[in-house]
Amino acid sequence: MEDLRLTERLVGTDEVKIQARGVNVYYGESHAIKDVDVDILDKTVTAFIGPSGCGKSTFLRCLNRMNDTIDNCRVTGSIRLDGQDIYDRSVDPVQLRAQVGMVFQKPNPFPKSIYDNVAYGPRIHGLARSKADLDEIVEKSLRRAALWNEAKDRLDQPGTGLSGGQQQRLCIARAIATSPEVLLMDEPCSALDPIATAQVEELIDELRANFSVVIVTHSMQQAARVSQRTAFFHLGNLVEYGETGQVFTNPRDPRTESYITGRIG
Amino acid sequence: MTLFAFALLFAATVAAYMLNRAAAASLARRGERLHSLATFHGGFAALVVLLPVFLVILLWLLFQGPVISALVMGGLPEGVLDGLGKGEVSLIAAEIQSIAAGQVFGTPEPWKLEAAERLVRLRATSGTLLVVTVAALSVVLLFLARRTVAPEFRARHGVERMVLGILVFCSTVAIFTTVGIVLSLIYESWQFFRLVPITEFLFGTNWEPQIPIRADQIAGAGAFGWLPVILGTVVITVIALAVSVPIGLFSAIYLNEFASRRMRAVVKPVLEILAGVPTVVYGFFAVLTVAPALRAAGAEFGIPISPNTALAAGSVMAIMLIPFISSFTDDALAAVPRALRDGSLALGATRGETMLKVLFPAAIPGIVGGILLAVSRAIGETMIVVMAAGLIATMTINPLDSVTTVTVQIVTLLIGDTSFDNPKTLAAFALGMMLFIVTLGINILALRIVRKYRELYD
Ligand SMILES: Nc1ncnc2c1ncn2[C@@H]1O[C@H](COP(=O)(O)OP(=O)(O)O)[C@@H](O)[C@H]1O
Ligand SMILES: [Mg+2]
């Protein structure tokens, strides 16, 4: 039984996609992330769990340098994407964000048509050579986000007119349209009902074939369902990081165990 | 005396509060279950005394002047006012008033001195009467209020109802004033349109509001076509917007998205100060600085430019509008949810692309609303154009010509001869009416756009 679970959870590759070493994040004086080391694998879903305020979102935002847009935020340490330090002076954060896409907690489609929402990234980065090219990218992205069937007849209608779950899948389609290598998701299901949540979870599992996915989640069931690796954060520290089955069934750190059994959180 | 009346009222109000509160409290001590707390009984009594007496004092003060003056003028000796016009009578009344105030110029006729003395006496009587009335009324009301104290009396509801009444009154004061203003505008405009056909006013292309003052004077009959005047307003408004909209928009975009925190902390308050500069100061600037500079520049190219130009007035008005447009745009941009901005940045858009493709389009309705409000301000602006635009109504769209605007014409029509029975003065009201209609329409449109936009993101 135990063996069966383990084989099921085998990750796609053991190749490291993102390597973080000694990462510290400060908001002004407050120390939000303390000396975090983590290796995020390619073609794997990695879940960040932990009580709220422990720094999951903050660390996630380090991976695509979205923290740069926050005024008083300072990041130290090294984060390498395919061996290249993303905080190096030569790296353009704008280019980086095309490689490392992000989906937010609250669906945030632009007040534009569904088509224009998905085409936004490809247009900015000049990924399509022609209108037909762009149409293809839009269709492919919507199909991958499991939204094509619902949206194909209303591509010119505003994305804000969709339901919450559809909006979130539109945001996922929008993020994968720039063909990123890593997809960051910050509590992507917290604003969704159970059915929409199930759809998005299924989607995440499919996305694993092409991307490395990092998902922040509040729900441990969700982490257990969709991820192969789990990182547990507590008060800005990375307490435990390992194979999901192991973290949930046989945690090494007492703090992880108390959190999983509901004693802290 | 008036002061004394107010002091009396204050004392009566406090007394009413104390009396009823004490009475209610003693009921409660005797074990009665009161519907309302003792303080509400006190408050109820205070309001019962305060409101009617206050109203009486106000009305008294409002009518005492005209009534006394009518009495004095009516008591003048037979014949002294015979054959005098309305204006001369009011001059005499004013003279008597100033003698009564102790300012005697030259040697007035004895009957004037006598009238002044009577004025002083009447005023004193009126003051005494006021105090007596206030005192009597207060006592009666105190007594009536005191009788209401009973366990089952709903003082709290009474207080709430009276306070509600006060609130309703305050909130409708502005509305009623506006209605009054509009009615008087309509009335005077109607008077005007009895003298000048409305079609001539609306479609005439000639504006020469001169009329003969005396019957034997040789002058044109006057022409009252408002088109050149409104055209002047339009030209200046267009110039003002052409300058202020781009500058206001760009400064708001910069402040909202690109400026460092320190830059923002300096520039925003400065812009707000600019919004507080009195328009007459802008007028000085237009006359003393901008117009001469334009003339000098024109001379360089051999173009003669008149001292008053639409361009000078319009561009200075633009300076006045910049903070207005910029703060509206800034608000509209700030109202776009941060999530949209982050969404765009996370897709690898630069801040410029994010502004151009996401934030700005999302803010457009709010910005348009702000611009429309700026338009109605530009149309209604008077001081700058009075000082810088000129007086002669010419049908022109050349910004280097001198033009005149609706507001300027209203001002000049009402300067000097102000008897309200000739088309020259009445024309001012017709112009005012048109201006009111235009700006009202624009404001309604602007508010609708702004409101629609708010609904989108709340
Ligand atoms: N923009 C910010 N400015 C200042 N402090 C912040 C900001 N964002 C997050 N923090 C702080 O950093 C810590 C971690 O927050 P966050 O990463 O959002 O936690 P989580 O996503 O795990 O709930 C919290 O203490 C929070 O108060
Ligand atoms: Mg979070």
Side-chain angles (χ1 to χ4, degrees), chain A residues 3 10 21 50 79 90 92 105 112 165 170 177-178 183 199 205:
Chain A
D3 287 349
L10 271 183
R21 287 292 175 270
I79 298 179
S90 64
D92 181 0
Q105 183 166 357
K112 300 171 180 290
L170 176 62
T178 56
L183 195 58
Q199 285 168 331
D205 203 49

Side-chain angles (χ1 to χ4, degrees), chain A residues 64 66 69-71 94 97-98 100-102 104 108-112 120 124-125 174-175 178, chain B residues 261 338-351 353-354 357-358 361-362 456-457:
Chain A
N64 67 345
M66 276 302 278
T69 67
I70 297 173
D71 272 345
V94 164
R97 289 179 201 140
V100 183
M102 185 163 198
F104 295 81
N108 57 350
F110 302 132
K112 300 171 180 290
Y120 187 85
I124 282 179
H125 299 292
R174 189 175 72 181
T178 56
Chain B
R261 202 181 276 191
R338 203 192 144 84
L340 287 185
R341 184 171 164 271
D342 285 351
S344 170
L345 292 176
L347 286 169
T350 63
R351 291 205 285 186
E353 285 161 339
T354 302
K357 297 193 169 178
V358 176
L456 207 64
Y457 287 116

Side-chain angles (χ1 to χ4, degrees), chain B residues 332-411:
Chain B
L333 287 174
V336 178
R338 203 192 144 84
L340 287 185
R341 184 171 164 271
D342 285 351
S344 170
L345 292 176
L347 286 169
T350 63
R351 291 205 285 186
E353 285 161 339
T354 302
M355 172 56 69
L356 194 68
K357 297 193 169 178
V358 176
L359 300 185
F360 193 73
I364 275 181
I367 295 170
V368 170
I371 291 176
L372 284 181
L373 289 182
V375 169
S376 72
R377 271 193 70 165
I379 292 176
E381 172 51 36
T382 313
M383 220 50 229
I384 295 174
V385 281
V386 165
M387 295 173 79
L391 293 177
I392 295 141
T394 29
M395 267 312 242
T396 177
I397 53 165
N398 179 357
L400 297 179
D401 267 350
S402 151
V403 299
T404 194
T405 69
V406 178
T407 50
V408 170
Q409 285 308 308
I410 292 176
V411 171

Side-chain angles (χ1 to χ4, degrees), chain A residues 27 32 51-58 61 70 72:
Chain A
Y27 290 109
S52 85
C54 66
K56 307 180 295 289
S57 303
T58 301
R61 283 199 303 265
I70 297 173
N72 62 347

Side-chain angles (χ1 to χ4, degrees), chain B residues 174-263:
Chain B
I175 296 177
F176 282 120
T177 326
T178 314
V179 169
I181 293 171
V182 172
L183 285 182
S184 85
L185 251 188
I186 291 177
Y187 176 75
E188 302 289 352
S189 310
W190 180 66
Q191 297 284 329
F192 173 73
F193 290 126
R194 286 202 316 186
L195 300 170
V196 175
I198 189 163
T199 46
E200 187 194 320
F201 176 74
L202 285 182
F203 305 112
T205 57
N206 214 353
W207 179 261
E208 280 164 15
Q210 281 77 30
I211 49 151
I213 293 173
R214 293 187 314 274
D216 58 341
Q217 216 174 21
I218 301 164
F224 294 96
W226 85 314
L227 286 182
V229 184
I230 185 70
L231 188 66
T233 294
V234 170
V235 168
I236 289 188
T237 305
V238 167
I239 294 172
L241 289 177
V243 177
S244 63
V245 168
I247 297 181
L249 284 188
F250 290 147
S251 79
I253 287 175
Y254 170 69
L255 284 180
N256 190 276
E257 184 63 26
F258 300 97
S260 69
R261 202 181 276 191
R262 207 179 312 144
M263 185 74 184

Side-chain angles (χ1 to χ4, degrees), chain B residues 268-356:
Chain B
K268 257 211 108 144
V270 169
L271 274 179
E272 268 146 30
I273 290 171
L274 210 56
V277 174
T279 54
V280 68
V281 174
Y282 285 116
F284 287 140
F285 180 60
V287 173
L288 296 178
T289 311
V290 177
L294 276 177
R295 262 166 84 87
E300 284 287 310
F301 298 101
I303 310 166
I305 296 178
S306 73
N308 293 320
T309 58
L311 187 58
S315 51
V316 172
M317 199 190 284
I319 299 173
M320 175 189 85
L321 295 179
I322 286 169
F324 194 73
I325 291 178
S326 142
S327 85
F328 246 89
T329 306
D330 194 30
D331 289 350
L333 287 174
V336 178
R338 203 192 144 84
L340 287 185
R341 184 171 164 271
D342 285 351
S344 170
L345 292 176
L347 286 169
T350 63
R351 291 205 285 186
E353 285 161 339
T354 302
M355 172 56 69
L356 194 68

